[in-house]
Amino acid sequence: MAASDVAVGIIFLSQTVVGVLGNSFLLLHYLVLYFTGHRVKPTDLILKHLIVANLLTLLCKGVPQTIEAFSLEFSLSDIECKLLFYVHRVGRCMSIGSTCLLSIFQAITISPRDSSCSELKVKAPRYIGTSLCLSCILYMLINIIILMYMTRKWNNTTMTTLKDFGYCSSFHRDITTVTLFAALLLFPDAVCVGLMLWASSSMVLTLHRHKQRMQHIQKTISPRFSPESRATKTILLLVSTFVSFYTLSCISQVCLTVIYNPNLFLVNMAAIVSGCFPAVSPLLLMSRDASASRFCFSWIENRKSPVLMMNM
């Protein structure tokens, strides 16, 4: 096994383990809050949806890529390849949709009372569940086309109609079909990114105006310590991280689509970039959410204490 393959395998393994553990801790934290009767914020439902989407993305991409990088023997059937890529794509799209909905909801929440969004503040929490369900159905329908393209890995190297992705393959299509296919998949993503940028700009402007007003009013508590301001800054950090990684992911995906026979390095780089946000986002959320951080460390301490008691 080449050193480069080992390095890529370690990257995939680290990314997958860190991402799965981080998202699992966060999901468990929100479930504990829900079942213990704690006050649940409207954004918690969106965050749980985002966490599940991140887990699907990491498991469906990180695990097989790690196995492939370490050159371990495994084979997937035609149906398994179709489902693996389909679930990964739906999870990735739902991650985009959840982040977009989170930014829009927070922009509405902190909007001034005299703004055009004032009436939506009361109505917005009612439509969160419906919006998530509709976006999930939409992405599931759009990505059905993935099932038509993906197939299992063929050992026959003379088959030039297949594009190799390591553990699975896809059928080549003419440039017109590929262009229509790419446009169909990228259009909802582009709309979501545009809405995220608009919502982020609105939140930054609202925070700036609020800070200017507070400079003229003598208060003992700085606005940066308010829950709304802290939550807004967390979402802005999450959105900016997402847009950065998503831009790199789009560039790599376009290269994979356009290039007739991409090399293994490009395939691995595209997979690594696509897994960055699902792996990093729970760390960003826990770093800004004190209760989630305390839950994570208390769980680790509770797991360690029986071992320590046995060694005493």
Side-chain angles (χ1 to χ4, degrees):
M1 185 185 302
S4 59
D5 295 335
V6 175
V8 171
I10 292 174
I11 293 174
F12 279 127
L13 181 62
S14 303
Q15 189 181 66
T16 304
V17 171
V18 171
V20 170
L21 288 178
N23 284 286
S24 299
F25 275 128
L26 272 180
L27 183 60
L28 183 60
H29 166 66
Y30 288 117
L31 290 177
V32 168
L33 290 179
Y34 176 78
F35 287 111
T36 53
H38 285 75
R39 181 176 176 270
V40 179
K41 296 179 291 186
T43 54
D44 288 350
L45 178 60
I46 307 177
L47 288 174
K48 284 186 285 188
H49 209 264
L50 174 63
I51 292 167
V52 173
N54 288 341
L55 285 172
L56 291 177
T57 304
L58 287 168
L59 292 175
C60 292
K61 197 72 171 180
V63 173
Q65 288 286 170
T66 302
I67 297 174
E68 175 69 20
F70 283 117
S71 301
L72 300 177
E73 292 293 334
F74 84 110
S75 60
L76 297 175
S77 65
D78 190 64
I79 296 178
E80 289 172 340
C81 278
K82 292 179 184 295
L83 289 178
L84 198 66
F85 273 78
Y86 176 74
V87 174
H88 168 262
R89 180 67 196 183
V90 172
R92 181 176 179 272
C93 290
M94 286 311 305
S95 179
I96 300 172
S98 300
T99 309
C100 176
L101 184 61
L102 186 65
S103 60
I104 293 175
F105 179 81
Q106 190 64 22
I108 294 174
T109 301
I110 68 169
S111 61
R113 295 180 180 178
D114 56 350
S115 66
S116 58
C117 298
S118 59
E119 296 182 359
L120 294 175
K121 286 187 177 183
V122 180
K123 299 179 181 179
R126 307 174 190 171
Y127 299 108
I128 289 179
T130 304
S131 301
L132 290 172
C133 290
L134 289 178
S135 61
C136 183
I137 293 173
L138 175 64
Y139 284 125
M140 289 177 68
L141 292 176
I142 290 176
N143 288 283
I144 285 179
I145 195 170
I146 294 288
L147 302 176
M148 301 168 55
Y149 280 79
M150 298 309 302
T151 183
R152 66 184 178 87
K153 183 178 177 63
W154 294 83
N155 295 324
N156 189 355
T157 57
T158 62
M159 297 184 65
T160 58
T161 58
L162 295 177
K163 182 181 292 188
D164 187 19
F165 287 97
Y167 51 91
C168 291
S169 304
S170 68
F171 291 105
H172 281 296
R173 292 293 186 270
D174 58 275
I175 189 62
T176 303
T177 305
V178 170
T179 303
L180 292 175
F181 170 68
L184 177 64
L185 294 182
L186 289 177
F187 178 73
D189 296 352
V191 173
C192 286
V193 171
L195 290 174
M196 276 189 277
L197 294 176
W198 167 80
S200 300
S201 302
S202 176
M203 286 188 283
V204 170
L205 184 61
T206 301
L207 289 177
H208 178 68
R209 289 175 177 174
H210 180 64
K211 183 178 180 181
Q212 286 183 329
R213 286 196 301 267
M214 294 303 294
Q215 288 176 349
H216 301 286
I217 303 174
Q218 297 296 327
K219 285 191 177 289
T220 57
I221 301 178
S222 174
R224 64 183 176 181
F225 294 108
S226 64
E228 294 82 4
S229 177
R230 188 165 56 248
T232 302
K233 290 177 181 179
T234 301
I235 293 173
L236 285 173
L237 178 63
L238 194 69
V239 170
S240 60
T241 304
F242 174 83
V243 172
S244 301
F245 284 129
Y246 178 75
T247 302
L248 295 175
S249 179
C250 276
I251 294 173
S252 60
Q253 291 297 327
V254 168
C255 293
L256 284 178
T257 304
V258 173
I259 298 177
Y260 187 81
N261 190 18
N263 56 32
L264 186 59
F265 174 79
L266 182 59
V267 174
N268 289 333
M269 285 303 300
I272 291 173
V273 172
S274 66
C276 284
F277 177 76
V280 171
S281 59
L283 303 179
L284 297 178
L285 291 171
M286 284 191 289
S287 67
R288 307 290 293 187
D289 190 342
S291 62
S293 300
R294 287 195 300 268
F295 174 81
C296 176
F297 288 116
S298 64
W299 188 89
I300 294 175
E301 290 298 326
N302 291 334
R303 294 289 295 177
K304 287 182 177 179
S305 57
V307 179
L308 294 176
M309 293 296 293
M310 290 176 62
N311 294 332
M312 290 180 62

